[in-house]
Amino acid sequence: MSEKVEKGGISVETEHIFPVIKKWLYSEKEIFLREIVSNACDALTKLTRLSSLGEIGAIDEKLCVKVTLDKENNTLTVSDNGIGMTDEEVKKYICQIALSGAVDFIQKYEGESDEASKDGIIGHFGLGFYSAFMVSDRVDIETKSYTGGKPVFWTCSESGEYELREGDREERGTDVIMHISDDEVEFLTETKIREVLEKYCSFMPFEIYLEKAGEEKKEEGKEGEKKEEPKPINDTHPLWQKNPSECTEEEYKDFYKKVFNDYKDPLFYIHLNADYPLNFKGILYFPEITSEYESLEGQVKLYYNQVFVADNVKEVIPEYLLMLKGVLDCPELPLNVSRSYLQSNSYVSKLSAHIVKKVADKLNSLYTNEREKYEKLWLDIKTFVEYASLRDRKFYDRIKDSVLLPLTDGKFATVGEYLEKAKEKHENTVYYATDKKTQSQYISLFTSEGIDCVLFDKVIDASFIGLLEDDRKIKFVRVDADIAESLKGDGEKYENEDTVKLFREVSGKEKLNVKFEALKNKKLPAILNLSEQSRRLDDMMKLYAMAGKGGADAPSYTEETLVLNSENALIRRLETLDDDKKKVAAKQIYMLSLLSLRQLTPDEMQSFLSDSFDLLEKELD
Ligand code: ADP
């Protein structure tokens, strides 16, 4: 070993860096391992590049990274057989540049520290080599450069004092030896290290092995026992890096299940593969969605050259795409810059636009080429499509001709198809139901006339209706809204002012709107209608009030109209009955139409039941 020892102190400018690193990165300390292991992979990549450029000869040994846990010495070591460093390089890259880079970084985030740690943005965009000090009292480097020359040993304590001298390493490559601090002993356990490696390093491009040093290792490898071939932590050739034409359906599904821990198959996927200048790869999966709310919990993992960066980085991927699951590898992204930079970055907006286009293309191609399959998928992807359309008009414009309307009979129609069929009966109007069960009476009025009803029973549908109306210049009318012209027959007009009064009386609503219409369906005595506009207003108010008061089960619709069917015999007979009978019959008719409109309140239900039993008794007398 050489006698020459160089000592140095971290410059004045940066002397507080270690405490700052420790404090700031508190929430996501574990990323130190990602930083150190990815530096090791970089060193291996550089070596392979030199070899392929002919600068050095062929490499005949296996290039890999070893992560060694040594509980006896409280160290965690990351070793690689990459390019290594000369002492000049250690001085240049480790002592100066990296550190001043880190200072820049920290200054950039100074004002943002609270918010930044909340969002974990610093965790997303690590600090490089120095993040090792988040968990270590001291860090040593043993390195030997591929250029030959003497090995170098560098050691630095958490106070920032370093020493540089000739080292012991015999082979080309680097060991980064982290002396784990007493309060971070978690990082000396295999479970923790394995978990962190699996999270961040699962797809790094060189094999990574987790090993134990010292006694523990000996224990494991006792003589006579068959030694298992060590398995790397990672998959060095993740599916997204492959050419889509070389990937099988099975591979896509397996990859999905493994990466997202899902036992269900995805519905379909999109392999993204954008060349220069976007230069990114990825796979987006449409997961099977079982409930309206679950769908909002997607997971898009962002990678930087196969190094995991973070889940669901809102600044990079349009928020609505985060409902999907997938992986995106963007080596072009300047990941070590601030969130606001990412937000206004033109690369990021091009990237988003590209992904959005690909998603839209996929939906359109499924619609055009595999309509049957598309219809089967529709209910699972509908919420996504609606949400995405509402968030991004450009997305909607791309896919609008592939939007399907689910019909109450289980079939599907595009808006165009629906309007085409409706052309003669109800131009530019789409009838819809929001509840197949409670509105069944109304639905059947339409379907028996050959008019299709759309089933829009999700909360988000109401907003989507607004978008469709605005874009297509059409009207959506709920089945229980004002009686459609096409439900009216041409029967003779019958009206009776006394009957109107009678219904106002039995309903207990003095101002109830009552009108006569001759309906084609002669069997139905009466039906309650709600004006589409005032009901929508009501619905909106209810949504707002949801967080506040409950009791929404007795809605007070502002404009309720009782339509009496002048084609119905019972309605016509009412005027001929004696007073008591009239009231009993009118009340029953009113309650039945209320029952078809909505759930009765407990009081309404009680009175309806007792009236019905009375009627029954009288009938049987
Ligand atoms: P970055 O990786 O972003 O450049 P780091 O602080 O992580 O910043 O590392 C600084 C530099 O130190 C690297 O760019 C590289 O030149 C050198 N370095 C770090 N780790 C290794 C290693 N394992 N082998 C060779 N060089 C390394």
Side-chain angles (χ1 to χ4, degrees), residues 35-36 38-44 46 78-80 82-85 89 93-94 97-99 127-130 141 143 173-176 336:
E35 298 298 308
I36 303 301
S38 67
N39 277 349
C41 283
D42 287 348
L44 294 166
K46 286 175 190 160
V78 175
S79 314
D80 65 73
I83 53 168
M85 285 177 274
E89 284 166 337
Y93 298 132
I94 300 293
I97 306 276
L99 206 44
L127 253 190
F129 172 76
Y130 276 87
I141 298 178
T143 181
T174 304
D175 304 309
V176 175
N336 54 350

Side-chain angles (χ1 to χ4, degrees), residues 41-184:
C41 283
D42 287 348
L44 294 166
T45 307
K46 286 175 190 160
L47 192 78
T48 13
R49 219 165 271 157
L50 288 174
S51 167
S52 61
L53 290 171
E55 305 247 331
I56 55 170
I59 304 161
D60 47 16
E61 79 224 81
K62 181 160 134 180
L63 298 179
C64 66
V65 179
K66 285 185 185 138
V67 178
T68 313
L69 274 169
D70 185 341
K71 278 196 185 160
E72 278 161 55
N73 296 305
N74 290 349
T75 58
L76 179 66
T77 301
V78 175
S79 314
D80 65 73
N81 49 356
I83 53 168
M85 285 177 274
T86 61
D87 64 345
E88 284 308 309
E89 284 166 337
V90 172
K91 276 187 232 163
K92 192 167 153 202
Y93 298 132
I94 300 293
C95 303
Q96 296 165 19
I97 306 276
L99 206 44
S100 66
V103 168
D104 280 354
F105 183 89
I106 280 185
Q107 276 166 353
K108 218 179 257 173
Y109 281 108
E110 203 129 45
E112 286 187 43
S113 75
D114 272 356
E115 208 189 322
S117 55
K118 196 173 72 214
D119 279 2
I121 192 120
I122 294 186
H124 293 174
F125 311 127
L127 253 190
F129 172 76
Y130 276 87
S131 56
F133 285 94
M134 287 193 288
V135 297
S136 317
D137 299 330
R138 186 153 66 87
V139 179
D140 305 335
I141 298 178
E142 288 271 15
T143 181
K144 185 168 161 46
S145 165
Y146 77 99
T147 53
K150 293 185 172 140
V152 183
F153 175 78
W154 176 90
T155 177
C156 182
S157 69
E158 62 177 335
S159 65
E161 303 288 324
Y162 71 81
E163 252 183 61
L164 190 65
R165 59 170 181 260
E166 191 177 321
D168 297 325
R169 197 178 159 105
E170 285 164 11
E171 308 287 335
R172 180 204 67 230
T174 304
D175 304 309
V176 175
I177 304 140
M178 292 165 274
H179 298 261
I180 303 295
S181 18
D182 289 344
D183 40 10
E184 301 298 342

Side-chain angles (χ1 to χ4, degrees), residues 2 100 196 233 270 276 311 399 436 523 612:
S2 157
S100 66
V196 178
I233 291 277
I270 305 167
Y276 180 84
D311 280 322
I399 53 91
K436 214 171 146 175
K523 280 205 157 158
S612 303

